[in-house]
Amino acid sequence: MQELNDALCRDFADTVNKKSKSGPTITLALSGGNTPGMFFRQLASWNEENKTSRIDWSRIHFFWADERCVPPMHPESNFGMAHSSLLSSIELKPEQIHRIRGENNPASEVERYSDEIMDILPVMNGLPVFDQIFLGLGEDGHTASIFPGRPDLLQSGNICELVRHPVTGQHRISLTMKTINNARRIIFVVTGRAKSNVIAEIADHSSTSEQYPAYWVRPVHGTVEWYLDQQAARLIT
Ligand code: 6PG
């Protein structure tokens, strides 16, 4: 796990400090869940530990790939997790943070967040282009809040959609698959044995993999990379 987070942090620093094609800033969309927490905490102390390759935090605009419809400091908030593990430890201007306002009326927040994204990001194929999107993977193959059995979220031409969690019924707001696939770069960060079967099926393009939304993450003009620990990668042939 430490090796994985080291690699992720080095890549993050390289990406942010390399001249981005999109000009002086770089737009990142973060995912939630538990996996990114260690990575974010390690990033928070990067500049203290790496004097020669300091991250220029002033160039980053933070967005989210999805969010639970809860207040920002609610224990289930993806923004709240990123804030406590990273954002509260680095110097950022408020205008660099573009959180999904989980405390708002969900339907109106879908519109507001979509407008905010379109105000800032360049557009290609009629959709915004994120420089980089970090994604996680659920044991059911979901990513962001695109769950199995929701082909509408794979086909939607909207920037984001209102979703209900299939088990808890919790409202969530998620980027759609077309918006995700319009990114310049997509990075999956997945750890743990529990996801190794889904990862192996997706890697092998097995007949069962099409049921997993993560299988449909295929950037139209960018790249997708998987950062896995040994447990998550154990079944890949
Ligand atoms: C969310 C995430 C979701 C997450 C996966 C993996 O809002 O929950 O965006 O897509 O990345 O469910 O979660 P874990 O890292 O907790 O396994």
Side-chain angles (χ1 to χ4, degrees):
M1 186 68 171
Q2 186 56 51
E3 189 182 345
L4 173 67
N5 287 316
D6 290 347
L8 278 167
C9 288
R10 277 196 304 275
D11 178 86
F12 187 98
D14 291 348
T15 302
V16 172
N17 295 335
K18 179 170 63 185
K19 181 74 187 140
S20 157
K21 290 179 193 160
S22 62
T25 60
I26 181 167
T27 56
L28 303 181
L30 307 179
S31 278
N34 301 312
T35 304
M38 280 182 69
F39 164 41
F40 291 167
R41 279 187 291 277
Q42 191 165 327
L43 266 184
S45 60
W46 175 271
N47 284 352
E48 286 72 59
E49 292 157 17
N50 296 272
K51 301 300 180 194
T52 57
S53 62
R54 294 173 59 80
I55 294 170
D56 180 358
W57 295 108
S58 69
R59 294 188 54 220
I60 304 175
H61 280 258
F62 287 97
F63 295 80
W64 274 259
D66 69 325
E67 182 59 277
R68 294 80 178 277
C69 293
V70 295
M73 291 308 157
H74 185 284
E76 291 186 26
S77 166
N78 289 340
F79 164 80
M81 183 272 284
H83 182 265
S84 60
S85 55
L86 173 61
L87 305 179
S88 56
S89 306
I90 57 179
E91 199 172 318
L92 294 172
K93 296 191 179 94
E95 57 267 28
Q96 289 178 259
I97 294 179
H98 310 274
R99 69 179 181 88
I100 301 170
R101 299 174 189 172
E103 69 276 24
N104 285 357
N105 169 278
S108 57
E109 180 56 18
V110 164
E111 299 307 316
R112 189 207 65 77
Y113 184 57
S114 299
D115 291 344
E116 182 168 8
I117 290 171
M118 289 302 272
D119 285 347
I120 293 174
L121 270 64
V123 174
M124 196 181 290
N125 311 323
L127 285 168
V129 181
F130 281 96
D131 287 310
Q132 193 155 297
I133 299 180
F134 288 95
L135 292 176
L137 176 73
E139 292 179 36
D140 61 357
H142 82 257
T143 192
S145 284
I146 304 176
F147 294 97
R150 289 297 305 270
D152 56 309
L153 298 177
L154 303 180
Q155 302 305 326
S156 170
N158 293 328
I159 294 168
C160 53
E161 294 278 5
L162 176 58
V163 183
R164 287 186 82 101
H165 190 285
V167 176
T168 65
Q170 182 185 59
H171 272 128
R172 297 196 176 181
I173 292 174
S174 179
L175 296 182
T176 58
M177 188 58 75
K178 286 188 176 181
T179 300
I180 290 170
N181 282 334
N182 213 38
R184 287 202 171 91
R185 192 175 182 219
I186 299 165
I187 293 182
F188 275 99
V189 184
V190 189
T191 62
R193 188 183 181 89
K195 303 178 184 176
S196 56
N197 291 78
V198 172
I199 287 169
E201 289 175 60
I202 291 174
D204 296 341
H205 292 266
S206 72
S207 58
T208 55
S209 54
E210 293 186 6
Q211 67 182 304
Y212 305 130
Y215 173 82
W216 298 102
V217 173
R218 302 176 180 179
V220 173
H221 47 83
T223 60
V224 56
E225 297 151 67
W226 290 72
Y227 278 73
L228 308 171
D229 70 354
Q230 286 183 345
Q231 282 300 308
R234 70 189 179 92
L235 298 177
I236 293 177
T237 52

